[in-house]
């Protein structure tokens, strides 16, 4: 992330207080550093350009930040999108992403979803052989410009977070290549379908080391070579290698880097990058995480069992994974005073709690920080992906406002609203407020 990014963040925290973005009336807000997002997109594209002359579509995984202005910003930076549901596709279309820059992946696509994708000319990766059977009928019934592929699971193993590991022996995604007869079945599926021209795999995710990611990609490349050899032509012309570069949540340092991963791929599967194959990537978390920050006011402070507790307005509703699985998803806490300046003072072991009514709603436990006071601001960095855009409505807590920010050369901060804060009327409407007598009438 670097000094400039942390400098921009400090300025944005101060400006959010000065400009009333964060206030007693709106005590939790989320910020996105647009310059940082652009820098990550540039780092990704340049990393692969340094190791291959092949055409590469970098398709942002919409699930990481399903926000139309974010998708538009990334498209402006040269990226496409990877979508995994009708909702995500609708967001991509609303952002103006063309079909040629859109990839549809999902393990449970309905016939209607497939028909829509084929009609639009969106690339589709089938998850299994039954889905290929559906595509047979759809391709035969109407012409399509959609590039079509199949997802395979190389079964190379798990990372440190089991729930996110997509290439285990029993992963729900793709065709498991090491199951008895599966590899031969995949090869034959391609030979039977000359219109099947892509191969997809996705091994990476948080907790998965680069070497394991590269191993999974290498297995897919070897399979593509086998299929093309048996077909007697280059039937597979595109390899979709997924995404999943892990993120460092322990500091502002961005590690590992896209450049490191691209160089590793060049070393382990050089034929992948020699220009014979077009490539698709599907990075999500690594493009956004470092450039998002949740800000929350400290409402109260107290002591329980001798340990200080700061009760804030940010908790499970914005950091669900951290609250329920803190060992896998730890987040840093950056303390600021009530004016938005970095808080100094003696370090004290304390808990930082959220507003939800259950004991485990904690952003940090036993964390060494300058002692927090009512009215202070806590910043939770590295939350730009899978955090504030995925609201968890525990206690009917409202969705926070999300604001992008830019910093001028003179340090002036300008905010732009990405998504306004949810109102109480909207909460009531979503909870059936228009039909209160539905169960008693």
């Amino acid at each position: 992330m670097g000094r400039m990014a942390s400098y921009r963040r400090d300025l944005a925290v101060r400006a959010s207080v000065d400009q009333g973005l964060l206030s007693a009336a709106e005590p939790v807000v989320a910020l996105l550093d647009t310059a940082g997002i652009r820098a990550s997109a540039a780092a990704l594209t340049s990393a692969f350009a340094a190791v291959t002359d092949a055409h590469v579509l970098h398709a942002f995984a919409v699930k990481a930040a399903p926000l139309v202005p974010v998708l538009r910003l990334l498209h402006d930076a040269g990226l496409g999108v990877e979508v995994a549901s009708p909702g995500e596709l609708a967001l991509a279309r609303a952002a103006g992403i063309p079909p040629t820059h859109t990839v549809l992946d999902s393990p449970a696509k309905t016939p209607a979803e497939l028909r829509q994708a084929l009609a639009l000319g969106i690339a589709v990766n089938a998850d299994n052989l039954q889905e290929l059977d559906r595509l047979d009928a759809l391709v035969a019934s109407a012409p399509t410009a959609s590039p079509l592929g199949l997802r395979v699971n190389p079964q190379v193993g798990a990372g440190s977070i089991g729930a996110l590991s997509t290439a285990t022996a029993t992963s729900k995604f793709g065709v498991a290549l090491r199951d008895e007869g599966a590899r031969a079945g995949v090869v034959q599926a391609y030979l039977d379908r000359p219109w099947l021209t892509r191969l997809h795999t996705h091994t990476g995710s948080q907790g998965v080391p680069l070497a394991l990611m590269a191993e999974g990609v290498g297995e897919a490349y070897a399979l593509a070579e086998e299929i093309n050899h048996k077909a007697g032509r280059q039937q597979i012309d595109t390899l979709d290698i997924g995404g999943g570069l892990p993120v460092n949540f322990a500091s502002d340092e961005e590690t590992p880097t896209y450049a490191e991963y691209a160089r590793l791929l060049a070393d382990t599967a050089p034929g992948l990058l020699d220009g014979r194959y077009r490539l698709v990537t599907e990075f999500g978390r690594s493009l956004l995480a470092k450039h998002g920050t949740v800000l929350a006011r400290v409402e109260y402070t107290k002591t329980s069992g001798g340990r200080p507790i700061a009760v804030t307005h940010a908790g499970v509703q914005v950091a669900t994974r951290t609250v329920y699985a803190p060992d896998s998803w730890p987040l840093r806490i950056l303390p600021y005073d009530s004016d938005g300046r970095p808080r100094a003072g003696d370090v004290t072991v304390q808990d930082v709690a959220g507003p939800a009514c259950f004991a485990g709603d904690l952003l940090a436990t036993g964390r060494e920080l300058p002692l927090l006071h009512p009215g202070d601001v806590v910043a939770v960095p590295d939350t730009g992906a899978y955090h504030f855009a995925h609201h968890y409505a525990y206690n009917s807590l409202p969705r926070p406002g999300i604001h992008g920010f830019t910093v001028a050369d003179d340090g002036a901060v300008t905010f732009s609203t990405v998504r306004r804060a949810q109102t109480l009327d909207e909460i009531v409407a979503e909870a059936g407020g228009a039909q209160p007598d539905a169960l008693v009438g």
Side-chain angles (χ1 to χ4, degrees):
M1 185 174 179
R3 290 183 181 178
M4 284 303 298
S6 59
Y7 166 74
R8 291 196 301 269
R9 182 178 59 212
D10 282 348
L11 290 176
V13 174
R14 177 69 185 276
S16 71
V17 175
D18 289 345
Q19 298 183 31
L21 206 65
L22 183 71
S23 65
E26 195 166 331
V28 56
V29 298
L31 305 181
L32 285 169
D33 179 358
T34 56
I37 295 171
R38 286 187 179 276
S40 281
L44 172 59
T45 55
S46 62
F48 277 79
V51 297
T52 183
D53 293 328
H55 178 275
V56 184
L57 171 64
H58 295 293
F60 171 69
V62 173
K63 66 182 72 68
L67 298 163
V68 171
V70 168
L71 305 185
R72 178 69 68 88
L73 171 63
L74 290 171
H75 179 57
D76 188 64
L79 275 58
V81 292
E82 180 263 339
V83 300
S85 72
E88 289 184 357
L89 177 56
L91 296 178
R93 298 186 72 189
I97 314 299
T100 53
H101 288 71
T102 303
V103 179
L104 173 62
D105 297 322
S106 165
K109 307 180 199 71
T110 66
E113 289 175 59
L114 290 172
R115 281 193 294 271
Q116 180 189 28
L118 297 184
L120 292 172
I122 290 168
V124 176
N125 289 315
D127 178 78
N128 54 71
L129 298 181
Q130 291 178 5
E131 188 175 338
L132 279 187
D133 291 340
R134 283 187 178 178
L135 286 172
D136 283 336
L138 293 173
V139 169
S141 66
T144 179
S146 292
L148 301 174
L150 176 67
R151 180 171 183 166
V152 296
N153 171 15
Q155 294 174 293
V156 294
S160 62
I161 305 175
L164 295 191
S165 296
T166 60
T168 66
T170 57
S171 170
K172 75 174 188 177
F173 294 107
V175 179
L177 284 181
R178 297 183 184 180
D179 284 10
E180 185 176 356
R183 188 183 188 96
V186 168
V187 173
Q188 191 60 51
Y190 275 84
L191 298 180
D192 291 342
R193 297 171 175 83
W195 43 263
L196 206 55
T197 60
R198 292 190 169 194
L199 186 65
H200 176 220
T201 193
H202 178 82
T203 301
S205 198
Q206 191 67 20
V208 175
L210 295 191
L212 192 63
M213 292 174 60
E215 183 182 350
V217 172
E219 291 288 332
Y221 164 70
L223 177 60
E225 292 282 272
E226 178 182 347
I227 291 169
N228 286 343
H229 174 73
K230 291 186 176 179
R233 63 186 181 91
Q234 187 167 358
Q235 177 174 339
I236 296 177
D237 59 24
T238 302
L239 278 165
D240 186 331
I241 63 174
L245 191 77
V247 170
N248 166 36
F249 288 98
S251 73
D252 280 338
E253 183 182 4
E254 291 195 49
T255 180
T257 66
Y258 295 120
E260 290 168 346
Y261 181 47
R263 288 194 297 267
L264 179 60
L265 290 176
D267 291 339
T268 57
L272 174 73
L273 304 172
D274 65 9
R276 289 178 296 129
Y277 292 97
R278 291 173 172 250
L279 299 176
V280 177
T281 72
E282 299 174 354
F283 295 101
R285 179 182 292 106
S286 54
L287 282 162
L288 266 292
K290 285 290 181 186
H291 312 304
T293 304
V294 171
L295 304 183
R297 283 170 51 93
V298 176
E299 194 66 44
Y300 301 110
T301 58
K302 59 185 179 180
T303 300
S304 184
R307 177 178 291 176
I309 302 172
V311 181
T312 80
H313 287 274
V316 71
Q317 85 275 33
V318 292
T320 314
R321 287 176 172 178
T322 295
V323 169
Y324 286 123
D327 292 338
S328 296
W329 299 100
L331 287 170
R332 293 179 290 147
I333 302 294
L334 305 179
Y336 295 81
D337 65 19
S338 59
D339 292 323
R341 297 186 179 90
R343 174 162 283 293
D346 294 337
V347 170
T348 303
V349 175
Q350 57 198 297
D351 293 350
V352 180
C357 286
F358 73 100
D361 187 28
L362 298 165
L363 290 177
T365 303
R367 194 69 58 86
E368 293 185 345
L369 298 165
L371 187 63
L372 293 164
H373 302 278
D376 279 358
V377 177
V378 295
V380 190
D382 308 332
T383 48
Y386 295 104
H387 284 91
F388 47 70
H390 295 71
H391 186 69
Y392 179 46
Y394 199 100
N395 285 148
S396 296
L397 293 166
R399 290 188 295 268
I402 301 173
H403 307 274
F405 70 87
T406 58
V407 179
D409 291 341
D410 63 358
V413 178
T414 300
F415 293 105
S416 56
T417 299
V418 172
R419 186 186 71 193
R420 61 177 176 77
Q422 187 180 29
T423 67
L424 296 183
D425 285 344
E426 288 169 336
I427 291 175
V428 171
E430 290 184 4
Q435 46 273 344
D437 297 327
L439 303 180
V440 297

